[in-house]
């Protein structure tokens, strides 16, 4: 029943890797058999060609993904979204897509929720403050501002009823195999199971029906396989709805083998500072990229 994800019954799902840092070197140990691929190459280009010949070449992204994407954690309401989009267009700033964080589907984040979740938290659906009429809004944003909307997703649940349903069905992961805070790990979805992916897709489908175009998959680092199977769930849903439409997602981490199956873009940022854009109605200011304010611009 398992097709590659983290369960105690599948020892192949774990990399028992231990490493230590020395002066100018890394020493690592691995228990059991493993495959090691060596790709000596005279140039980075030749090395990349060898790498993609092994894992598969990435496909071409949708056209809008080549443009500028404005991302923000903290959109206030529908008027705030439309004010910013209008400022981009009226000021002649390039923008092809925008991303909405927690506030597109719920009214507060889940970082402080316990393992049992909360009846007040909403994992799916739209926040009435930012998207009171989602289908009409997203259609108008495409027609008026010529932008696509992407929504953030988390690999866990926060609503207590959905958590109970997922646990009864076996859709949640074994928290002991994950990294991170316990109250987060105990709400983690195991996307490696096909039934979990199908269930998750059913809950995402209303977003596609409303006009959401792509996903920002965030905080899946607790398990090595999460981002891969999570994207497979989203890709399969899109292919069922529209077999010819290109799938696109932004992900905070990358695993080899993902490009041929999904369109994944690395979004990890360094600890350097950047300038927050004036299109958000603020003075240009520096912000550390690890802070929430860093998601104002991508």
């Amino acid at each position: 029943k398992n097709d590659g994800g983290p369960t105690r019954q599948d020892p192949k799902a774990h990399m028992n890797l231990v490493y230590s840092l020395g002066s100018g070197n890394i020493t690592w140990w691995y228990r059991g058999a493993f495959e090691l691929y060596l790709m000596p190459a005279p140039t980075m280009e030749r090395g990349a060609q060898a790498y993609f010949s092994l894992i598969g070449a990435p496909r071409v992204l949708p056209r809008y993904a080549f443009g500028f994407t404005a991302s923000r954690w903290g959109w206030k309401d529908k008027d705030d979204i439309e004010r910013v989009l209008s400022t981009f267009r009226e000021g002649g700033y390039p923008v092809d897509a925008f991303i909405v964080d927690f506030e597109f589907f719920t009214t507060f984040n889940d970082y402080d929720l316990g393992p049992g979740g909360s009846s007040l938290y909403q994992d799916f659906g739209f926040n009435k403050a930012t998207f009171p009429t989602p289908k009409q809004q997203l259609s108008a944003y495409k027609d008026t501002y010529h932008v696509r909307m992407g929504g953030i997703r988390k690999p866990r649940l926060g609503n207590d009823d959905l958590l109970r349903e997922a646990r009864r069905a076996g859709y949640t992961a074994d928290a002991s195999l994950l990294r991170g805070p316990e109250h987060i790990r105990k709400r983690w979805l195991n996307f490696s199971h096909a039934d979990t992916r199908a269930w998750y897709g059913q809950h995402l489908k209303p977003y596609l029906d409303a006009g959401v175009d792509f996903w920002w998959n965030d905080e899946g680092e607790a398990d090595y396989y999460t981002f891969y199977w999570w994207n497979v769930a989203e890709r399969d849903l899109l292919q069922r709805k529209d077999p010819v439409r290109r799938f696109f997602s932004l992900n905070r981490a990358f695993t080899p083998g993902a490009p041929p199956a999904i369109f994944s873009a690395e979004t990890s940022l360094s600890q350097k500072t950047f300038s927050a854009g004036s299109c958000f109605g603020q003075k240009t200011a520096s912000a550390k990229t690890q802070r929430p304010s860093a998601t104002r611009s991508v």
Side-chain angles (χ1 to χ4, degrees):
K1 294 182 179 180
N2 178 47
D3 46 11
T7 65
R8 289 194 179 280
Q9 291 71 34
D10 183 8
K12 295 180 181 179
H14 314 294
M15 297 183 68
N16 298 313
L17 185 66
V18 179
Y19 71 92
S20 64
L21 299 177
S23 57
N25 62 69
I26 298 176
T27 304
W28 57 274
W29 300 264
Y30 183 82
R31 293 182 179 179
F34 67 96
E35 294 180 348
L36 177 64
Y37 295 86
L38 301 177
M39 302 176 183
T43 64
M44 181 63 73
E45 181 181 4
R46 292 286 296 277
Q49 289 174 351
Y51 177 71
F52 287 127
S53 70
L54 175 67
I55 69 168
R59 299 174 183 174
V60 178
L61 302 176
R63 182 181 296 178
Y64 67 85
F66 287 92
F68 179 80
T69 297
S71 177
R72 190 178 201 178
W73 178 7
W75 300 97
K76 297 177 182 178
D77 50 32
K78 175 177 178 287
D79 291 340
D80 185 34
I81 293 174
E82 295 177 359
R83 178 187 60 79
V84 171
L85 295 179
S86 295
T87 303
F88 268 103
R89 286 293 172 241
E90 292 171 2
Y93 299 102
V95 64
D96 287 273
F98 71 104
I99 295 173
V100 188
D101 212 282
F102 277 106
E103 61 273 13
F104 103 84
F105 66 92
T106 191
T107 57
F108 62 97
N109 67 61
D110 71 333
Y111 295 128
D112 295 326
L113 296 183
S118 168
S119 61
L120 301 177
Y121 189 82
Q122 179 173 270
D123 291 289
F124 303 99
F126 286 93
N127 180 352
K128 294 185 182 300
T130 50
F131 290 94
T133 56
K135 190 169 186 176
Q136 292 86 341
Q137 281 177 252
L138 294 177
S139 177
Y141 296 164
K142 290 178 183 178
D143 294 339
T144 304
Y145 303 113
H146 308 291
V147 294
R148 310 281 183 131
M149 181 266 187
I152 201 167
R153 290 281 80 197
K154 305 291 181 176
R156 56 187 184 263
L157 298 173
N159 178 267
D160 56 353
D161 284 339
L162 277 180
L163 272 168
R164 284 190 287 269
E165 178 185 344
R167 285 166 178 158
R168 285 194 300 267
Y171 298 153
T172 52
D174 184 342
S176 68
L177 302 176
L178 306 175
R179 297 178 298 172
E182 183 180 33
H183 68 287
I184 296 289
R185 290 186 281 116
K186 287 190 173 181
R187 297 188 277 111
W188 205 265
L189 288 171
N190 186 356
F191 290 101
S192 68
H193 289 175
D195 289 345
T196 306
R197 296 195 296 271
W199 178 84
Y200 184 76
Q202 291 174 358
H203 286 283
L204 282 192
K205 186 177 181 299
Y207 289 131
L208 296 188
D209 294 339
V212 175
D213 281 286
F214 64 101
W215 310 108
W216 172 295
N217 295 322
D218 193 28
E219 299 176 348
E221 298 88 350
D223 165 63
Y224 184 81
Y225 297 93
T226 292
F227 278 108
Y228 181 90
W229 292 112
W230 188 4
N231 275 273
V232 169
E234 295 167 344
R235 180 208 60 183
D236 289 350
L237 168 65
L238 181 64
Q239 289 185 342
R240 288 193 297 270
K241 180 177 176 60
D242 187 349
V244 300
R245 182 172 157 192
R246 295 182 183 182
F247 175 74
F248 175 63
S249 70
L250 289 167
N251 299 270
R252 216 167 70 162
F254 167 84
T255 51
I262 63 174
F263 299 101
S264 181
E266 176 64 63
T267 60
S268 296
L269 301 176
S270 70
Q271 299 297 312
K272 298 179 180 179
T273 60
F274 72 100
S275 295
S278 60
C279 287
F280 292 103
Q282 302 163 337
K283 295 181 179 179
T284 300
S286 295
K288 291 292 185 181
T289 55
Q290 68 268 32
R291 294 176 181 169
S293 58
T295 60
R296 288 175 179 160
S297 292
V298 174

